[in-house]
Amino acid sequence: MEVSALKIIAYGIRDDERPYVEEWSKDQNIEVKIVKDLLTDDTVDQAKGFDGAVVYQQKPYTASVLDRLAELGVKNLSLRNVGVDNVDADAVKRNDIKVTNVPAYSPAAIAEFTVTELMRLLRHTTQYEHRQAKGDLKWTPDIATELNSLTVGVIATGRIGRAAIQIYRGFGAKIVAYDVFHNPELEKEGIYVDSLDELYKQADVISLHAPATKENMHMLNADAFNKMKDGVYILNPARGDLVDTDDLIKALDSGKVAGAALDVYENEVGIFNTDFGSFDAIPDDRLKNLMKRENVLVSPHIAFYTTTAVRNMVQFALNNNKQLIETGKADNVVAFN
């Protein structure tokens, strides 16, 4: 079979992604150049001669990189993730670059992880593990709370939020939700509240699934924490910028927040997905403050990280890039206003 003349370069491909790139390339009969390095000023020239680029990185897609891509004639850019807040919108528009993302690679993966972390908090697993490592096998003093007795406030009811709601309901929890855009089915069930303040007032657990926007920056701050129930639990598998870290630390210190599960962190770029060799070498004192606490679960942005999600991220992005190259349109084009 003759190989298609269409050529795609894929940046930042990890070892766990490579088999899915190769599978797609073989199935589609399209050449895909695999590059382990991220798309940066140092690597952008490797895109010369290609029709499109598939990328994933936490670092910014800077104006200089996007300008150079356009100079090389590469104006089809497909992200293997959801967020586009690290893409220079002005450079995209100036160069007429078409950008796609993968808005739903596996809502279930993130929802399942979020609820798993909540159960660890409610059952005090970290405290028991620490005591058992010292030979202490007593039950007390960490008596658990049952999820079926709690009200969970879900902020944002997109695909991930709705998947989380389904799981919370399986445990018997009461659900209240807030979103600017109401899902028709959830609307019929009457679970929406009119304001975040009302959600804060009712919720024993707050499950964040909102995007990172200017309006949502530090959504959970001192003012928000003050409006919540004493002993509330905070779950953030969404975006680090949604939570003011300093205010969260103060709320943990005061006991206002009983526990938190953070899969994201507002200064995670350059820190998460990095091996520093030792705890002391981690270059962020606030993050280490959180990590030392038995009632805080910090994970390095891994809620998405399942075989299903990784395969979908890779192959959906490649499909999007193919569509852009062939038709100028795609299923998941991002509009930069």
Side-chain angles (χ1 to χ4, degrees):
M1 183 183 294
E2 186 176 340
V3 177
S4 168
L6 189 155
K7 295 170 63 179
I8 295 172
I9 183 169
Y11 282 95
I13 296 297
R14 305 183 305 270
D15 289 343
D16 55 277
E17 294 177 306
R18 178 182 283 270
Y20 304 125
V21 177
E22 294 173 344
E23 177 187 350
W24 186 92
S25 177
K26 181 179 179 181
D27 289 346
Q28 298 293 324
N29 200 34
I30 292 172
E31 177 185 346
V32 181
K33 180 179 179 180
I34 293 175
V35 179
K36 283 192 172 184
D37 296 324
L38 301 179
L39 175 61
T40 65
D41 290 303
D42 295 329
T43 63
V44 64
D45 282 352
Q46 294 184 51
K48 184 177 180 179
F50 287 86
D51 303 295
V54 170
V55 294
Y56 174 79
Q57 61 198 58
Q58 292 178 295
K59 292 182 178 181
Y61 299 93
T62 62
S64 61
V65 166
L66 296 173
D67 288 343
R68 183 57 180 159
L69 270 182
E71 289 173 5
L72 295 171
V74 182
K75 295 192 175 185
N76 302 301
L77 186 67
S78 295
L79 280 58
R80 303 195 296 278
N81 57 291
V82 180
V84 295
D85 47 301
N86 58 340
V87 180
D88 190 305
D90 291 335
V92 166
K93 291 182 283 188
R94 178 173 66 249
N95 291 296
D96 193 29
I97 296 173
K98 295 183 177 65
V99 178
T100 63
N101 68 347
V102 183
Y105 34 85
S106 182
I110 297 168
E112 287 178 7
F113 185 83
T114 305
V115 181
T116 298
E117 294 293 86
L118 173 60
M119 293 307 299
R120 290 181 63 199
L121 289 171
L122 295 179
R123 301 306 301 236
H124 306 295
T125 58
T126 302
Q127 290 89 327
Y128 280 110
E129 288 165 3
H130 287 177
R131 291 210 307 274
Q132 287 173 190
K134 299 175 183 178
D136 181 352
L137 301 182
K138 297 196 307 293
W139 301 343
T140 58
D142 297 304
I143 192 166
T145 302
E146 295 180 19
L147 179 50
N148 68 77
S149 68
L150 302 180
T151 296
V152 179
V154 175
I155 298 178
T157 55
R159 295 178 179 91
I160 298 170
R162 295 198 302 275
I165 287 172
Q166 185 175 4
I167 300 173
Y168 289 131
R169 281 178 166 164
F171 280 89
K174 177 184 176 181
I175 306 295
V176 294
Y178 177 82
D179 199 319
V180 176
F181 305 101
H182 288 194
N183 174 270
E185 293 304 314
L186 296 181
E187 179 80 72
K188 292 176 184 176
E189 297 171 12
I191 69 169
Y192 284 109
V193 292
D194 295 330
S195 68
L196 284 171
D197 285 358
E198 184 59 32
L199 183 142
Y200 298 152
K201 181 180 177 181
Q202 294 189 40
D204 302 295
V205 176
I206 292 178
S207 192
L208 280 171
H209 303 284
T213 63
K214 291 180 181 179
E215 295 76 17
N216 289 344
M217 178 72 174
H218 287 177
M219 171 188 291
L220 298 194
N221 54 24
D223 182 58
F225 290 128
N226 287 336
K227 295 173 181 175
M228 297 176 192
K229 289 184 176 181
D230 292 340
V232 67
Y233 289 91
I234 304 296
L235 313 175
N236 186 11
R239 287 291 180 267
D241 288 345
L242 298 177
V243 178
D244 185 308
T245 302
D246 290 324
D247 289 348
L248 173 61
I249 288 172
K250 292 174 184 176
L252 286 161
D253 287 342
S254 71
K256 184 71 176 184
V257 172
L262 310 172
D263 188 53
V264 290
Y265 176 65
E266 60 181 324
N267 296 321
E268 70 181 60
V269 175
I271 296 179
F272 282 1
N273 202 25
T274 302
D275 183 356
F276 291 101
S278 71
F279 181 83
D280 290 341
I282 297 172
D284 190 305
D285 289 336
R286 294 189 305 169
L287 180 61
K288 288 192 284 189
N289 178 312
L290 292 166
M291 293 173 69
K292 289 177 181 177
R293 297 169 184 260
E294 290 187 333
N295 62 338
V296 177
L297 303 175
V298 175
S299 49
H301 209 139
I302 59 170
F304 81 96
Y305 197 48
T306 66
T307 53
T308 298
V310 170
R311 185 177 192 273
N312 288 343
M313 292 168 77
V314 167
Q315 299 198 347
F316 290 0
L318 286 164
N319 286 335
N320 281 332
N321 209 245
K322 178 176 181 285
Q323 290 174 339
L324 285 179
I325 295 166
E326 292 180 338
T327 71
K329 300 177 182 179
D331 292 336
N332 301 301
V333 173
V334 178
F336 290 89
N337 299 321

